[in-house]
Amino acid sequence: MIAYLDGNFITPDQASILSVHALHYASAVFEGIRIYDGQAFMLTAHVERLLQSAEIIGLKPNLTLASCTSILTETIERSGLRNAYLRPIIFQGGPNLGVYAPDNVTRFGALIWEWPSVFGEQRAQTGISLTTDVPYRRAPELCFPSQAKSSAGYMVSGINRRKAELAGFDDALMLTHAGLIAEASGANIFMVHNGELLTPEPHGILNGITRQVVMANLPDGLICRECPLDPSDILEAEEVFLTGTAYEVIPVRQIDNTLFQVGPRTQQIMDIYRSLTSVIQSKR
Ligand code: PMP
C-alpha cells in the first residue's frame, strides 16, 4: 500500500486516519452534552440516544448504558471543566473500505472542551436570525434515519448553515421534503401562535432532548401542540425560539424578512430552562 496525505507520501502506519471507515461513509453517531458547573445535564437521555443511534445505523460498540456513563463521568471529572461541552462519538474504524464492512472495529471516543455561549451572550438574549433560503431540505424518514444523531445528517446541516451565514443570517431554517417547517442546523423550532405553543411533529427531524425537556416543563397555562407548520405560519407567529443542547433556549428575532420581538412566553421558557440547568448547581 502507498499513501499520500497533505503534501507527503507516508507509510501505511501513518495513513491509518485515511482508512477510517467513518471518514469515507459517515458511519458514525455522536452526542453533544452540556456540562453546567461540572455536572452533565440529561446525561442518561444522551447516553441512551447515543446507543440507540448506534443501533439504528448498525454499529455495535462494546458499551452499556452504565459503562458509557461511567467513562463520560470520568472524562468530565478529569477535565476539571465547569462549563463545557462533551462530545462522545461511536464510529467504524478501518481498515476495510467496503461500504458494508462488518469486520471493521467499532470505536468509541470522547472529547470535552470549554464552552462559551454558542451565539454569544448578547444574541442569547436578543435573538438570532434564520433563513429558509438554503439549498437542501430534510429527507423524510423513508429516505433517512433521522432519529439517529448521525454524522451523515450534518452534511446537509453544514451546507445549509454555510449558505445562511454567507447571506448574513445566523442559521438555516430547513424545510421538510414536503415544504413544511423542519428544524435549524442543530436545533428544534417552536412558535407561539394565537397564544398556543406550536412545534413540528418529530418526523424527519431530530426529536431533540431539549425539545422534550421544554415540552415537559411548560409555564402554567401554556399548551404545546405538535402539528404541521407551513412557512406562511411564520408571518403570523407572535414569538419564535429554538431549542438544543448547545443553543439552549434561544429567541429568534428574524426569519427571512419577518421580524419578531423576544416575547413573554419565550422569556418564561428561557427562565425555566435556566433554572432546570442550574438545579444541578444547587444540588451540589
Ligand atoms: N436538530 C438537530 C439537527 C440537531 O443537531 C440538534 C442538536 N443535537 C437538535 C435538533 C436538538 O437536539 P438536542 O436538544 O437533543 O440537543
Side-chain angles (χ1 to χ4, degrees):
M1 191 214 241
I2 180 160
Y4 174 89
L5 180 63
D6 294 339
N8 300 301
F9 287 94
I10 52 178
T11 64
D13 274 359
Q14 293 168 321
S16 60
I17 189 177
L18 291 178
S19 56
V20 169
H21 191 274
L23 189 62
H24 296 257
Y25 304 118
S27 46
V29 293
F30 63 87
E31 272 304 318
I33 303 168
R34 272 298 309 269
I35 314 304
Y36 294 95
D37 198 24
Q39 297 275 302
F41 184 60
M42 300 297 289
L43 182 59
T44 304
H46 283 283
V47 175
E48 279 171 357
R49 184 170 68 185
L50 179 69
L51 298 178
Q52 271 159 18
S53 296
E55 171 97 30
I56 291 170
I57 77 158
L59 293 178
K60 301 216 179 315
N62 185 16
L63 285 172
T64 61
L65 184 62
S67 68
C68 187
T69 303
S70 129
I71 293 164
L72 294 180
T73 305
E74 186 174 343
T75 307
I76 299 163
E77 280 166 12
R78 282 176 180 252
S79 78
L81 293 171
R82 311 304 301 167
N83 188 25
Y85 186 86
L86 175 62
R87 165 59 56 84
I89 181 162
I90 296 172
F91 63 102
Q92 196 178 137
N96 189 337
L97 290 181
V99 170
Y100 174 57
D103 296 339
N104 279 337
V105 62
T106 295
R107 303 178 67 180
F108 170 60
L111 293 164
I112 184 166
W113 62 89
E114 184 126 29
W115 188 254
S117 172
V118 71
F119 290 101
E121 288 300 336
Q122 198 206 333
R123 266 184 279 190
Q125 300 305 320
T126 57
I128 59 169
S129 60
L130 309 177
T131 178
T132 56
D133 184 14
V134 292
Y136 294 100
R137 292 184 175 190
R138 272 292 182 233
E141 278 178 22
L142 204 58
C143 304
F144 191 81
S146 41
Q147 289 321 317
K149 187 169 161 64
S150 70
S151 298
Y154 288 89
M155 183 187 70
V156 161
S157 281
I159 294 172
N160 287 338
R161 173 80 179 246
R162 174 174 184 274
K163 173 82 194 305
E165 286 197 22
L166 289 177
F169 292 87
D170 294 309
D171 200 357
L173 176 57
M174 291 179 271
L175 303 182
T176 68
H177 71 292
L180 299 170
I181 290 173
E183 60 185 346
S185 67
N188 294 114
I189 186 163
F190 288 81
M191 58 178 74
V192 178
H193 204 274
N194 286 332
E196 223 185 3
L197 190 61
L198 305 180
T199 193
E201 293 162 305
H203 306 307
I205 61 170
L206 193 70
N207 184 5
I209 291 170
T210 320
R211 175 186 187 277
Q212 295 173 51
V213 167
V214 162
M215 290 170 76
N217 292 279
L218 292 174
D220 283 347
L222 184 63
I223 287 170
C224 180
R225 206 152 50 83
E226 295 175 316
C227 60
L229 290 172
D230 191 83
S232 64
D233 294 327
I234 290 170
L235 299 173
E236 278 146 43
E238 290 130 35
E239 303 176 32
V240 183
F241 62 88
L242 301 182
T243 63
T245 299
Y247 292 56
E248 304 178 298
V249 177
I250 190 163
V252 172
R253 62 172 175 78
Q254 180 180 0
I255 302 179
D256 298 323
N257 295 320
T258 309
L259 299 178
F260 307 94
Q261 302 289 339
V262 182
R265 288 308 197 182
T266 304
Q267 198 61 60
Q268 277 178 307
I269 292 168
M270 287 166 69
D271 290 347
I272 291 172
Y273 193 71
R274 191 167 313 112
S275 73
L276 289 170
T277 54
S278 56
V279 163
I280 300 177
Q281 300 175 26
S282 56
K283 268 196 197 149
R284 290 171 64 79

